[in-house]
Coordinates of all heavy atoms in Angstrom, one line a residue:
R389 N 74.6 139.9 144.5 CA 73.6 141.0 145.0 C 73.4 141.0 146.5 O 72.7 141.8 147.0 CB 72.2 140.6 144.4 CG 72.1 140.7 142.9 CD 70.7 140.6 142.4 NE 69.8 139.7 143.1 CZ 68.6 139.5 142.9 NH1 68.0 140.1 141.9 NH2 67.9 138.6 143.6
G390 N 74.1 140.1 147.2 CA 74.0 140.1 148.7 C 72.9 139.3 149.3 O 72.6 139.4 150.4
D391 N 72.3 138.4 148.4 CA 71.2 137.5 148.9 C 71.9 136.2 149.6 O 71.7 135.2 149.2 CB 70.3 137.1 147.8 CG 69.6 138.3 147.2 OD1 69.5 139.3 147.9 OD2 69.2 138.2 146.0
L392 N 72.7 136.6 150.7 CA 73.4 135.4 151.3 C 72.5 134.3 151.9 O 72.9 133.2 152.0 CB 74.3 135.9 152.4 CG 75.3 137.1 151.9 CD1 76.4 137.3 153.0 CD2 76.0 136.6 150.6
G393 N 71.4 134.7 152.3 CA 70.4 133.7 153.0 C 69.6 132.9 152.0 O 68.9 132.0 152.4
D394 N 69.8 133.2 150.7 CA 69.0 132.5 149.6 C 69.8 132.0 148.5 O 69.4 131.9 147.4 CB 68.0 133.6 149.0 CG 67.0 132.8 148.1 OD1 66.6 131.7 148.5 OD2 66.6 133.5 147.1
C395 N 71.1 131.6 148.9 CA 72.0 131.0 147.9 C 73.0 130.1 148.5 O 73.1 130.0 149.8 CB 72.6 132.1 147.1 SG 74.0 133.0 148.0
F396 N 73.7 129.4 147.7 CA 74.8 128.6 148.2 C 76.1 129.2 147.7 O 76.2 129.8 146.6 CB 74.7 127.2 147.6 CG 73.7 126.3 148.4 CD1 72.5 125.9 147.7 CD2 73.8 126.0 149.7 CE1 71.5 125.2 148.3 CE2 72.8 125.2 150.3 CZ 71.7 124.8 149.6
I397 N 77.0 129.3 148.7 CA 78.3 130.0 148.4 C 79.4 128.9 148.2 O 79.3 127.8 148.8 CB 78.8 130.7 149.8 CG1 77.6 131.8 150.0 CG2 80.2 131.3 149.6 CD1 77.7 132.3 151.5
P398 N 80.2 129.1 147.1 CA 81.3 128.0 146.9 C 82.0 127.7 148.2 O 82.2 128.5 149.0 CB 82.2 128.8 145.8 CG 81.2 129.7 145.2 CD 80.3 130.3 146.2
C399 N 82.4 126.4 148.2 CA 82.8 125.8 149.5 C 84.2 126.5 150.0 O 84.3 126.7 151.2 CB 82.9 124.3 149.3 SG 81.4 123.5 148.9
T400 N 85.1 126.7 149.1 CA 86.3 127.3 149.6 C 86.2 128.7 150.2 O 86.6 128.9 151.4 CB 87.4 127.3 148.4 OG1 87.6 126.0 147.9 CG2 88.8 127.9 148.9
P401 N 85.5 129.6 149.5 CA 85.3 130.9 150.1 C 84.5 130.8 151.5 O 84.7 131.5 152.4 CB 84.5 131.8 149.0 CG 84.9 131.1 147.8 CD 85.0 129.7 148.1
K402 N 83.5 129.9 151.5 CA 82.7 129.7 152.6 C 83.6 129.2 153.8 O 83.5 129.6 155.0 CB 81.7 128.7 152.3 CG 80.6 128.6 153.5 CD 79.4 127.7 153.1 CE 78.4 127.6 154.1 NZ 77.2 126.9 153.7
G403 N 84.5 128.3 153.4 CA 85.5 127.8 154.5 C 86.4 128.9 155.0 O 86.7 128.9 156.2
C404 N 86.8 129.8 154.0 CA 87.7 131.0 154.4 C 87.0 131.8 155.4 O 87.6 132.3 156.5 CB 88.1 131.7 153.2 SG 89.2 130.8 152.1
M405 N 85.7 132.1 155.2 CA 84.9 132.9 156.1 C 84.8 132.3 157.4 O 84.9 133.0 158.5 CB 83.6 133.3 155.5 CG 83.5 134.4 154.5 SD 84.2 135.9 155.0 CE 83.1 136.4 156.4
E406 N 84.6 131.0 157.5 CA 84.5 130.3 158.8 C 85.8 130.4 159.5 O 85.9 130.7 160.7 CB 84.2 128.9 158.5 CG 83.9 128.0 159.8 CD 82.7 128.5 160.6 OE1 81.7 129.1 160.0 OE2 82.8 128.4 161.8
L407 N 86.9 130.3 158.9 CA 88.2 130.5 159.6 C 88.4 131.9 160.0 O 89.0 132.1 161.1 CB 89.4 130.1 158.5 CG 89.5 128.6 158.2 CD1 90.4 128.4 157.1 CD2 89.9 127.8 159.4

Side-chain angles (χ1 to χ4, degrees):
R389 293 193 323 182
D391 298 335
L392 303 188
D394 189 34
C395 71
F396 285 111
I397 298 161
C399 297
T400 299
K402 188 172 184 176
C404 292
M405 278 305 297
E406 183 64 30
L407 290 168

